[in-house]
Amino acid sequence: MDFIQNGCVLIKVRGNGSKYERFFRLDDECLSMYYRGSKKIKWLQGNSKDQSKEIGEVRDGPTSDVFVKSFNKLSESQCFTLVIGEKHKTLDLIAPNENAKVSWVKGLKHLLKKLSEADLSTQQEIWLKEVFRQADKNGDEYLNLKEVLALLKDLNIAVDLDTAKVVFQVCNDKGEDVLDMDEFMVFYNMLTKRDEIEQLFEEYNQEGQYWDVSELQDFLKKEQYTQMSSDGCMALIEKHEACPKVKGQGMMSVDGKVMYWFYSMLRSPFMDVFNPEHRSIYMDMTQPLSHYFIDSSHNTYLAADQLVGPSSTEAYIRALKMGCRCVELDCWDGDKGDPVIYHGHTLTSKILFKDVIYAINAYCFEASEYPVILSIENHCSVAQQRLMAAYMVDIFGDKLLREELEDGTTELPSPEELKGRIVVKAKRIPASALQENDEEGGYVSDEDESAEMEDESVKAELKKKEEKLKLAKELSDLVIICQSVSFKGFAHAKENYNFKQMSSYSENKAFGLVENEGLDWVEHNKRQISRIYPGGLRTDSSNYDPVPMWMAGNQIVALNYQTPDDSWHINQGMFENNGRCGYVLKPEFMRMPDASFNPQGPYLPKWKRKFKIKIISGYQLPKKKGDKNKSILDPYVKIDVMGVPADCRSEKTDHIKDNGFHPVWDESFEFDVHVPQLALVRFRVMDYESRSSNVMVCQFCLPFLSMQSGYRQVNLHSKYGEAIWGASLLVHIMIT
């Protein structure tokens, strides 16, 4: 820590391979890292109000795209990468020697861990120090009234000048026209007092300024639907009460000035809207693979659009680290004899197949131990197919599933049986196509499901091409359980295909099947896997709605991971479940041979739930991205329930004028949920605009059955799926 506080010169490597020497160090409080350029100082905050500069991850070694393209082998032991901001940009650095690299990597990882594990009051203090320092433009460690008012606007706090002056003077102990750090913290706490929380606790407070164990028990039983023993309540008090004197008497403070315990408890899993038990793997992982929804990506290599955007190994790393378990590799012959990955017949950039395999091997099981499926779209010659197979065998080693299933097996292996394994999904040469003594392989249909386009001229052009593809035996032999076959109807599949074979469907085909043959598709998906992918005209990498696909039991619902749109947020909400391991067990009625389910209905009356929710207030909501005027939000909340057609409905609160920091809505809504096992709930905070379209500023989505009843905090995420420190909604939920 001393070494990185004192700092040293690091080489900063850019994407074009150019290198610059910069002096990096930590600030005195170990809260931020900064570097000196030729004419400027840049800060890389931790826990700042500007998430675009936060260090999110520290990676050891030359794993980023920048290093892959420009890496000097002599520097391998000196390289490390910082992943910064919600867009996951990388800062790629080379230390002067290995010891210096180790100091930076270990030190920064230690600080990030320390920040993430800090209690609420410590995190609040760190955050306030950061915003104070950023507002202190002249660096004199004081803020005058003008600077304070500018900072409040930055923080989404609307306050009239007279009120600000009064509070400013009350907090100004030294009688000067400025506030120091400690005075600013008092000023901030006075302005952000939460009356709705104090009012709630006064209802359960018989007398005085404290809750005792019995009052806490009463609150938990009546409001949180939680039975807790006296010892359990004492443990909560020990964990969350900040005042040692009050804690020693077995009580909790109710006075708003010192009621940090409730803010602390709100941010804990105990009060989270998301059931903390579902943050761990709690589902049965021993069912056949076809019985799970699988977190899946389409065109995983792309970082932007489908026509001219860059291809990137970083895109694979990000998807895998987020829990994605099925990634796509579009493989083409490389000019130099090495297969490449890119979006064929477009101007997207090319990356080497072997570099992608190295990246997958390094990160495949970092987020989850359960199997990773490689969906291979193969356009390569036999010679380069052999290279693909050789790279996978050599680099993946024992991780690669190569053993045939035992004779007599009638169903797919389970995620538990495939833990730590990499599964290849591709075409396989049927026995009838293997010619005797033909060591090269055999012919398969060259029907390319993911090339399906709505454009008739494109279809006609594809039909002119050779309809048969010669497949290398070495690559074919790696396809064990996810053997790609053409879909020719559910009756044909039942009669001719086995459990190891699977088909892919464009979104247009899939939506028609859900609507017209949903019951048959659910039955089909009990024994075989289906993969859905975006239609060919989505050149902007937008996404289709995944919910109807899940309603028909489809396992691999592949989305463009590089596009954080509504569909991607819903996908993230679905796979928040089951410890974010990438596998969610389908409901029993979608798995059992004797059960029958049609997503269009009717639904069993015993499933139905009534969902009542009160949106009480918001807290510390972020500013709208790209707003050059830095205007304060006029926020409102949209609540979406998604699932079978009968359950899809949205409601919204009124908007609150000029209050993005602590808006209070206190509005209630009621929903009927017919199939709760498949429903999801999404919260969206929107900024009201009377003359233009409203913009989403933050959101959170979760499975209906993962919600906890009672007073709960909804911790909000950014457009890019990152948790926003402090941003939350206070809600009350009742499910009957």
Side-chain angles (χ1 to χ4, degrees):
M1 295 305 301
D2 286 341
F3 176 79
I4 62 176
Q5 270 192 283
N6 290 328
C8 72
V9 172
L10 301 172
I11 297 173
K12 182 181 175 218
V13 187
R14 288 189 175 175
N16 60 6
S18 57
K19 299 174 183 178
Y20 302 87
E21 288 190 350
R22 297 288 185 262
F23 184 85
F24 285 78
R25 67 179 290 270
L26 292 186
D27 71 321
D28 293 339
E29 295 181 328
C30 292
L31 295 180
S32 294
M33 172 183 177
Y34 71 89
Y35 67 91
R36 293 182 184 274
S38 55
K39 296 181 180 178
K40 58 190 175 183
I41 294 177
K42 282 195 176 182
W43 291 86
L44 302 172
Q45 287 89 358
N47 229 351
S48 71
K49 66 187 176 72
D50 185 359
Q51 281 198 305
S52 67
K53 297 178 182 176
E54 284 190 4
I55 300 173
E57 182 189 350
V58 182
R59 291 186 193 155
D60 194 354
T63 59
S64 71
D65 274 340
V66 170
F67 281 132
V68 166
K69 291 173 184 174
S70 62
F71 179 59
N72 180 344
K73 292 291 182 185
L74 297 175
S75 306
E76 182 167 359
S77 62
Q78 298 159 229
C79 298
F80 67 103
T81 296
L82 306 182
V83 182
I84 297 170
E86 54 193 12
K87 292 187 178 181
H88 302 269
K89 294 182 178 179
T90 63
L91 178 61
D92 301 284
L93 302 167
I94 301 176
N97 53 62
E98 185 173 2
N99 288 339
K101 188 275 303 262
V102 170
S103 293
W104 278 106
V105 170
K106 284 190 174 181
L108 291 174
K109 284 186 175 182
H110 168 73
L111 287 175
L112 290 179
K113 186 171 186 288
K114 195 174 176 183
L115 277 172
S116 68
E117 293 175 350
D119 59 40
L120 179 72
S121 59
T122 303
Q123 289 194 21
Q124 182 87 340
E125 183 179 339
I126 290 170
W127 181 77
L128 284 172
K129 284 181 178 180
E130 285 287 345
V131 298
F132 182 94
R133 187 183 64 199
Q134 292 172 48
D136 180 17
K137 302 299 183 185
N138 62 6
D140 65 357
E141 299 185 355
Y142 293 98
L143 297 182
N144 59 35
L145 181 60
K146 184 179 179 181
E147 288 174 317
V148 168
L149 289 173
L151 174 55
L152 292 179
K153 187 176 181 181
D154 268 357
L155 296 178
N156 250 334
I157 303 174
V159 59
D160 64 86
L161 182 60
D162 291 337
T163 301
K165 284 181 177 179
V166 170
V167 179
F168 190 92
Q169 292 304 322
V170 169
C171 299
N172 191 353
D173 292 338
K174 299 178 180 67
E176 300 171 355
D177 292 331
V178 292
L179 300 180
D180 63 19
M181 173 70 74
D182 293 335
E183 291 169 335
F184 172 71
M185 288 186 176
V186 175
F187 175 89
Y188 171 87
N189 288 328
M190 288 181 69
L191 279 183
T192 57
K193 183 179 175 183
R194 300 184 69 174
D195 293 332
E196 79 277 16
I197 291 178
E198 287 189 48
Q199 182 180 350
L200 166 64
F201 286 97
E202 284 173 5
E203 295 176 19
Y204 288 88
N205 183 30
Q206 295 175 3
E207 58 183 26
Q209 292 185 316
Y210 307 105
W211 267 10
D212 60 23
V213 167
S214 63
E215 288 168 326
L216 179 56
Q217 275 184 310
D218 194 31
F219 166 76
L220 294 175
K221 179 180 178 181
K222 292 180 179 178
E223 299 292 353
Q224 304 302 94
Y225 310 96
T226 300
Q227 298 280 356
M228 186 167 284
S229 67
S230 298
D231 289 343
C233 288
M234 278 302 302
L236 278 180
I237 292 172
E238 283 288 329
K239 183 173 183 178
H240 297 291
E241 174 57 54
C243 177
K245 185 177 179 180
V246 176
K247 185 189 297 187
Q249 299 175 45
M251 294 185 174
M252 282 181 157
S253 313
V254 181
D255 184 343
K257 292 180 182 179
V258 293
M259 204 170 65
Y260 287 117
W261 73 266
F262 187 69
Y263 300 151
S264 174
M265 198 162 77
L266 263 180
R267 290 188 59 78
S268 73
F270 181 73
M271 291 285 282
D272 198 324
V273 69
F274 197 98
N275 186 339
E277 293 180 3
H278 294 189
R279 296 283 185 199
S280 302
I281 296 168
Y282 69 96
M283 294 179 168
D284 179 5
M285 302 303 287
T286 63
Q287 300 281 322
L289 211 59
S290 57
H291 289 186
Y292 296 84
F293 299 120
I294 304 170
D295 194 358
S296 306
S297 166
H298 174 68
N299 287 353
T300 314
Y301 48 90
L302 288 178
D305 66 81
Q306 315 263 324
L307 296 179
V308 296
S311 302
S312 166
T313 56
E314 189 66 32
Y316 285 94
I317 294 171
R318 180 170 179 253
L320 291 167
K321 287 178 70 67
M322 294 184 73
C324 183
R325 297 290 87 190
C326 179
V327 296
E328 186 179 25
L329 297 82
D330 287 3
C331 306
W332 299 79
D333 279 354
D335 295 337
K336 297 180 180 179
D338 236 351
V340 295
I341 290 176
Y342 84 113
H343 200 217
H345 308 298
T346 69
L347 298 177
T348 57
S349 63
K350 300 175 182 179
I351 50 179
L352 289 174
F353 177 85
K354 66 180 176 185
D355 287 342
V356 170
I357 298 304
Y358 274 120
I360 292 171
N361 187 58
Y363 290 93
C364 53
F365 301 118
E366 191 165 308
S368 169
E369 296 179 287
Y370 291 104
V372 170
I373 300 170
L374 308 186
S375 181
I376 292 181
E377 186 179 315
N378 178 17
H379 303 277
C380 292
S381 62
V382 169
Q384 295 204 19
Q385 288 177 44
R386 287 196 183 116
L387 266 179
M388 288 166 55
Y391 284 138
M392 288 191 282
V393 170
D394 292 343
I395 295 168
F396 291 146
D398 291 341
K399 296 176 187 173
L400 188 63
L401 181 67
R402 301 176 65 189
E403 314 87 47
E404 297 288 349
L405 302 185
E406 293 182 7
D407 291 342
T409 303
T410 59
E411 61 184 17
L412 288 165
S414 69
E416 190 66 30
E417 291 173 286
L418 293 172
K419 190 182 282 187
R421 305 304 295 273
I422 293 172
V423 176
V424 175
K425 171 208 164 286
K427 294 184 182 296
R428 177 165 171 148
I429 305 167
S432 58
L434 273 172
Q435 299 175 14
E436 189 175 353
N437 299 322
D438 187 350
E439 294 298 324
E440 285 196 349
Y443 286 93
V444 295
S445 168
D446 193 19
E447 190 174 300
D448 177 12
E449 295 99 343
S450 61
E452 182 175 331
M453 302 242 182
E454 291 80 356
D455 190 307
E456 291 299 324
S457 63
V458 175
K459 281 185 180 180
E461 185 65 29
L462 289 172
K463 284 183 180 178
K464 292 178 184 177
K465 295 184 178 182
E466 182 67 49
E467 293 184 358
K468 293 288 185 180
L469 168 74
K470 191 159 191 181
L471 187 60
K473 187 174 186 299
E474 293 88 342
L475 184 59
S476 174
D477 287 347
L478 299 183
V479 183
I480 307 300
I481 59 170
C482 291
Q483 304 169 8
S484 297
V485 292
S486 302
F487 177 72
K488 299 176 181 178
F490 295 121
H492 177 271
K494 189 173 182 179
E495 183 70 26
N496 296 279
Y497 295 154
N498 62 50
F499 65 94
K500 293 183 286 187
Q501 295 169 311
M502 59 174 287
S503 300
S504 295
Y505 312 77
S506 76
E507 61 173 283
N508 299 324
K509 176 79 171 178
F511 277 109
L513 290 174
V514 170
E515 188 172 344
N516 301 313
E517 300 181 63
L519 179 62
D520 291 334
W521 211 356
V522 172
E523 289 301 309
H524 172 86
N525 287 328
K526 289 178 182 179
R527 61 185 180 272
Q528 288 177 238
I529 292 177
S530 294
R531 176 181 178 269
I532 319 300
Y533 57 88
L537 293 184
R538 291 187 181 273
T539 55
D540 59 351
S541 292
S542 59
N543 284 306
Y544 58 91
D545 182 0
V547 175
M549 304 301 107
W550 292 322
M551 299 306 104
N554 292 297
Q555 301 88 346
I556 299 178
V557 180
L559 300 182
N560 289 304
Y561 246 70
Q562 71 273 32
T563 306
D565 54 14
D566 287 343
S567 299
W568 187 81
H569 297 146
I570 293 166
N571 186 78
Q572 190 180 43
M574 164 68 102
F575 292 102
E576 280 284 318
N577 202 357
N578 202 30
R580 296 183 71 177
C581 74
Y583 286 83
V584 171
L585 186 64
K586 293 194 281 189
E588 191 173 27
F589 53 77
M590 285 183 146
R591 296 183 277 120
M592 297 299 101
D594 56 350
S596 178
F597 175 72
N598 189 332
Q600 305 300 322
Y603 316 114
L604 294 182
K606 68 178 181 179
W607 292 342
K608 188 175 178 181
R609 298 288 183 270
K610 196 167 287 293
F611 167 41
K612 298 179 182 179
I613 182 166
K614 178 188 281 188
I615 307 295
I616 301 170
S617 62
Y619 192 64
Q620 217 163 295
L621 303 177
K623 299 285 284 194
K624 185 168 55 177
K625 294 289 184 185
D627 182 3
K628 295 180 180 179
N629 297 321
K630 296 186 177 181
S631 55
I632 292 173
L633 293 182
D634 300 333
Y636 65 95
V637 180
K638 288 193 76 172
I639 311 101
D640 309 303
V641 176
M642 301 158 290
V644 296
D647 288 344
C648 295
R649 193 176 130 222
S650 296
E651 294 288 352
K652 65 179 181 179
T653 67
D654 291 332
H655 71 275
I656 304 293
K657 182 70 175 172
D658 285 341
N659 194 343
F661 195 84
H662 182 210
V664 177
W665 295 280
D666 211 28
E667 293 186 48
S668 298
F669 305 95
E670 188 173 304
F671 298 82
D672 288 331
V673 182
H674 299 82
V675 188
Q677 301 93 328
L678 290 171
L680 296 111
V681 178
R682 187 180 180 209
F683 300 87
R684 285 184 284 171
V685 176
M686 313 290 292
D687 184 32
Y688 175 77
E689 295 282 356
S690 59
R691 297 181 181 180
S692 60
S693 58
N694 299 330
V695 176
M696 187 195 77
V697 292
C698 49
Q699 55 84 35
F700 184 68
C701 182
L702 76 165
F704 180 84
L705 293 183
S706 292
M707 281 197 307
Q708 297 196 97
S709 295
Y711 285 96
R712 300 293 170 187
Q713 174 153 297
V714 181
N715 294 308
L716 297 165
H717 289 186
S718 73
K719 172 184 177 180
Y720 298 96
E722 304 288 340
I724 304 171
W725 189 87
S728 61
L729 300 174
L730 179 62
V731 301
H732 185 271
I733 292 169
M734 183 184 294
I735 299 171
T736 56

